[in-house]
């Protein structure tokens, strides 16, 4: 193969480089069922070009991936999404998005290594796709918040109805968000940070 005709590799842009002032980085993970908006959230909140592993959906997933309610979805994450957001000049937050299909859940162990906590993104039209995700987090003892992503025509439920439907303990925060907007996605991450801070204080013990 003649590589001379290949396009040159493009390195990181200046805006993607980690600031010299950064002294600490923490990691959180965005999880959820298939098609709930994880890639969209990571892309909207990241201050750098997000790394995605989106692939076109093919017949190979037919009968394996449950696409009920998201029939128009044409691509899917097969490994992870990655983004970064600066909390301050010295603190940066690394955001990892997981694949939604159960056949890719074997990747979770690596993605959760070193993570402080997680955001469970849910679609109120398809709450059932979140049950196993929440169960896996509870088994691992990973602290998390739940964010209801507002899709067009998605039903809106009172917080306590969502809590009951998802069988969540009273201390787990539930927020709503629009994963397409940076401000809303940032507020979800801040809700997780506040929850983690409460868990770390002596009064929360």
């Amino acid at each position: 193969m003649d590589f001379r005709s290949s396009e040159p590799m493009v390195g990181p842009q200046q805006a993607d480089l980690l600031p010299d002032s950064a002294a600490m980085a923490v990691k959180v993970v965005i999880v959820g069922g298939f098609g709930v908006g994880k890639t969209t959230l990571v892309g909207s909140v990241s201050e750098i070009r997000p790394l995605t592993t989106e692939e076109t959906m093919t017949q190979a997933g037919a009968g394996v991936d449950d696409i009920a309610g998201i029939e128009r979805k044409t691509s899917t994450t097969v490994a992870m999404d990655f983004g970064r957001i600066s909390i301050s000049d010295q603190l940066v937050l690394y955001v990892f998005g997981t694949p939604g299909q159960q056949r890719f859940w074997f990747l979770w162990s690596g993605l959760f290594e070193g993570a402080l906590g997680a955001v469970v993104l849910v679609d109120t039209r398809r709450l059932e796709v979140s049950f196993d995700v929440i169960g896996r987090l509870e088994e691992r003892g990973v602290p998390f918040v739940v964010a209801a992503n507002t899709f067009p025509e998605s039903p809106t439920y009172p917080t306590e109805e969502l809590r009951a439907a998802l069988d969540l303990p009273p201390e787990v925060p539930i927020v709503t968000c629009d994963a397409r907007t940076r401000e809303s996605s940032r507020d979800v991450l801040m809700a997780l940070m506040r929850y983690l801070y409460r868990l770390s204080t002596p009064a929360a013990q």
Side-chain angles (χ1 to χ4, degrees):
M1 179 177 179
D2 185 2
F3 289 96
R4 289 176 297 178
S5 61
S6 301
E7 294 184 4
M9 295 183 63
V10 178
Q13 296 181 357
Q14 187 64 34
D16 296 340
L17 299 178
L18 191 65
D20 293 336
S21 61
M24 179 182 296
V26 295
K27 174 183 178 182
V28 299
V29 183
I30 312 298
V31 300
F34 185 36
V36 297
K38 299 180 297 295
T39 298
T40 300
L41 188 148
V42 173
S44 70
V45 79
S46 179
E47 64 192 18
I48 63 173
R49 294 173 301 169
L51 168 66
T52 63
T53 55
E54 288 268 291
E55 295 290 343
T56 301
M57 294 174 61
T58 66
Q59 283 300 111
V64 178
D65 300 328
D66 183 6
I67 61 171
I70 52 172
E71 291 83 2
R72 289 181 291 181
K73 186 173 175 60
T74 60
S75 62
T76 183
T77 299
V78 296
M80 68 172 185
D81 302 311
F82 171 76
R84 188 186 79 212
I85 180 172
S86 295
I87 303 299
S88 67
D89 290 340
Q90 296 183 320
L91 177 63
V92 296
L93 185 65
Y94 291 140
V95 184
F96 289 80
T98 65
Q101 302 99 305
Q102 291 191 18
R103 58 193 172 108
F104 293 128
W105 281 6
F106 67 91
L107 297 167
W108 276 38
S109 294
L111 290 175
F112 270 92
E113 185 174 350
L116 292 182
V119 171
V120 179
L121 200 60
V122 303
D123 179 352
T124 58
R125 301 169 301 178
R126 302 180 298 121
L127 286 178
E128 68 279 359
V129 303
S130 303
F131 296 160
D132 287 343
V133 172
I134 291 173
R136 287 175 67 89
L137 290 180
E138 291 175 336
E139 289 174 2
R140 289 170 172 265
V142 177
F144 64 91
V145 301
V146 170
N149 192 11
T150 53
F151 288 87
E153 300 180 1
S154 60
T156 301
Y157 299 107
T159 298
E160 290 313 308
E161 285 190 21
L162 272 179
R163 187 179 304 280
L166 296 171
D167 194 23
L168 296 174
E171 66 271 13
V172 174
I174 300 176
V175 297
T176 59
C177 74
D178 183 342
R180 299 169 298 180
T181 68
R182 177 177 174 82
E183 293 79 8
S184 185
S185 297
R186 178 203 59 204
D187 289 347
V188 170
L189 295 179
M190 294 308 298
L192 175 61
M193 293 296 101
R194 287 192 293 269
Y195 180 51
L196 294 174
Y197 177 75
R198 290 203 304 272
L199 293 177
S200 69
T201 57
Q205 304 301 320

